[in-house]
Amino acid sequence: MAPRHSSFFMTKEELIAVALQFRIQKLWEELDDSMIFGVRLPDAETGYCCVMGNGGQHYALGLYKGVSGFSTYINSVNRAPGTDSFEMFMTYDCMNCDYENASESNLTSAQKKQIRAVANECNIKMCRPNGYPEFIRYDRGVIRTELNDEEISDLGIALKAGIEVASRVKGMTLEELGKLGFGEDGYYPSPAGGDRIPMLDIQDDGSFKWSVALTPKSEGDSFSTPVFGNLLAAGRLKTMKRVGPFQCKAMHMPAPVKIKEGVFYPLIIVFVNDEGMMYPVMQKSNDPHAEEELLNQLAFTLISMESYPDAFLVDDAYSEAFLKDFCKKTEIKLKKDGYLPELEEVVHMLRSQFGR
């Protein structure tokens, strides 16, 4: 990877200023969230930009960095029927510049004061409504509102590119947008890659050079499979008497936990046994990536219950991926079933208790 160009570094104040300028452009009136454009970032990586707000609700610019980040966008817009939207949200690898009303944002009083100060210093009139920029890093389950220096520069250049795009596409027809490289309105990029998008390459003088590039092939499935390495527990389970199938779901609880980096949503496995009893297995640590820990706790729970189900029945892709290696090592069958009413009732109860 090429070194970052020092002239493209940005301060937090400069990021706020360019975010306020981008808000004025209202690019979401010209593009929808299917009309991606690319920007060359200071480390020579490609950033894929998604403009949100065409529906008139959530104004934002999303930046997906590299093939890995872009794949999470592709997976989110091409998700299979029945995919849990909250679990999909937990896979996002991107940065957003969201625009909120001051009273509805998660901004602190100090952050709001800083935004107003930048607006006054740069003589920028703040838009109403949804005029306050909020910078958020979504890092596969960890959510941060404080960006590091590299992220500030990357998002700032993406916003500058967005301002350039807004100045170019104002009032264009779909045919004219197509000549720039934008895809057809409402047609999302394919997981197979090869779709044309505009590519903007920032020059030393701050201007942008336009070209057309092709989207990369997606890296594949949204959900990873954690490794279950406790072979001792797996062996112990296999000595126990089999019982009937359990309905099972792996999920993130919609109750954020604060950590140094930001917030994360803790993992839980909930299952309903063959007698209709519900059992939750929750992570105990504040590790946002506690998948292996949770699988160990699941094994210990089954051993303490002296229950060795002949199958886990799941109803979603995340649970299927999460339990795949565990079931392989313990020789428990894993079956996907789209209709598990007892499990659905339990999950609904848990999520209702946590406000979702």
Side-chain angles (χ1 to χ4, degrees):
M1 193 68 70
R4 297 178 71 84
H5 197 302
S6 60
S7 65
F8 297 144
F9 277 97
M10 258 186 216
T11 64
K12 178 67 176 293
E13 289 74 17
E14 289 170 329
L15 175 63
I16 291 171
V18 74
L20 292 171
Q21 291 163 350
F22 176 80
R23 172 66 181 84
I24 294 170
Q25 306 304 313
K26 301 181 182 179
L27 183 53
W28 39 80
E29 293 184 355
E30 308 295 333
L31 305 180
D32 67 22
D33 63 355
S34 71
M35 304 171 83
I36 301 298
F37 62 91
V39 59
R40 199 76 64 199
L41 298 174
D43 58 3
E45 185 64 272
T46 299
Y48 298 90
C49 300
C50 169
V51 179
M52 292 163 271
N54 190 258
Q57 295 181 336
H58 176 215
Y59 300 146
L61 177 81
L63 172 64
Y64 298 81
K65 186 172 182 176
V67 177
S68 177
F70 185 60
S71 295
T72 67
Y73 164 80
I74 288 293
N75 290 332
S76 71
V77 298
N78 290 280
R79 61 178 182 260
T83 301
D84 190 298
S85 59
F86 189 71
E87 296 307 331
M88 183 63 70
F89 170 65
M90 290 291 98
T91 71
Y92 288 1
D93 180 6
C94 64
M95 284 181 280
N96 268 23
C97 175
D98 292 335
Y99 294 93
E100 306 285 355
N101 291 321
S103 60
E104 298 169 354
S105 73
N106 293 313
L107 296 167
T108 64
S109 296
Q111 289 170 325
K112 295 173 188 175
K113 183 177 180 181
Q114 184 184 30
I115 291 169
R116 290 192 293 268
V118 170
N120 290 334
E121 182 179 347
C122 298
N123 197 28
I124 300 172
K125 184 177 180 180
M126 293 187 63
C127 296
R128 298 288 190 274
N130 306 107
Y132 280 78
E134 187 171 2
F135 311 115
I136 304 175
R137 174 71 168 100
Y138 297 96
D139 188 7
R140 299 183 185 273
V142 178
I143 301 173
R144 292 188 280 111
T145 55
E146 290 295 336
L147 307 185
N148 62 37
D149 291 343
E150 180 176 321
E151 292 165 344
I152 286 172
S153 297
D154 286 347
L155 186 56
I157 288 175
L159 287 163
K160 281 189 172 184
I163 294 171
E164 166 72 11
V165 171
S167 70
R168 186 83 173 266
V169 305
K170 187 72 173 178
M172 277 191 171
T173 65
L174 290 177
E175 182 180 357
E176 291 169 329
L177 289 171
K179 291 179 181 178
L180 288 179
F182 287 105
E184 292 186 60
D185 181 28
Y187 288 87
Y188 291 98
S190 165
D195 294 295
R196 297 170 74 250
I197 60 170
M199 177 63 67
L200 284 78
D201 201 336
I202 193 166
Q203 306 298 294
D204 288 340
D205 63 359
S207 64
F208 285 93
K209 180 181 178 181
W210 284 67
S211 61
V212 175
L214 300 179
T215 58
K217 181 180 179 181
S218 171
E219 291 183 338
D221 295 340
S222 310
F223 306 123
S224 60
T225 296
V227 174
F228 178 58
N230 194 336
L231 300 183
L232 185 63
R236 175 72 183 279
L237 277 169
K238 287 186 281 188
T239 66
M240 296 166 56
K241 183 180 178 180
R242 292 268 190 178
V243 296
F246 288 6
Q247 299 179 28
C248 189
K249 189 176 188 71
M251 55 189 271
H252 291 82
M253 291 302 293
V257 174
K258 288 186 177 181
I259 54 175
K260 182 180 179 181
E261 299 88 344
V263 300
F264 81 101
Y265 294 83
L267 287 163
I268 181 174
I269 293 175
V270 59
F271 61 85
V272 179
N273 70 6
D274 55 342
E275 297 178 349
M277 297 295 292
M278 182 271 284
Y279 295 87
V281 181
M282 296 188 69
Q283 74 172 79
K284 296 180 179 179
S285 72
N286 277 351
D287 181 356
H289 303 292
E291 291 87 352
E292 188 171 346
E293 171 199 330
L294 193 63
L295 291 177
N296 278 326
Q297 290 207 72
L298 174 61
F300 296 146
T301 299
L302 294 174
I303 290 170
S304 67
M305 293 172 56
E306 298 185 354
S307 295
Y308 180 36
D310 59 13
F312 277 144
L313 308 180
V314 300
D315 64 359
D316 69 294
Y318 178 69
S319 298
E320 185 178 33
F322 193 95
L323 294 166
K324 184 178 180 179
D325 192 64
F326 180 90
C327 288
K328 179 180 178 181
K329 301 282 179 57
T330 58
E331 297 181 4
I332 296 173
K333 295 177 183 177
L334 182 61
K335 300 179 180 179
K336 192 173 180 183
D337 188 328
Y339 182 65
L340 300 172
E342 294 87 353
L343 182 64
E344 185 177 326
E345 183 178 346
V346 167
V347 170
H348 177 74
M349 177 192 70
L350 286 172
R351 285 183 166 164
S352 296
Q353 289 178 349
F354 288 94
R356 182 183 179 275

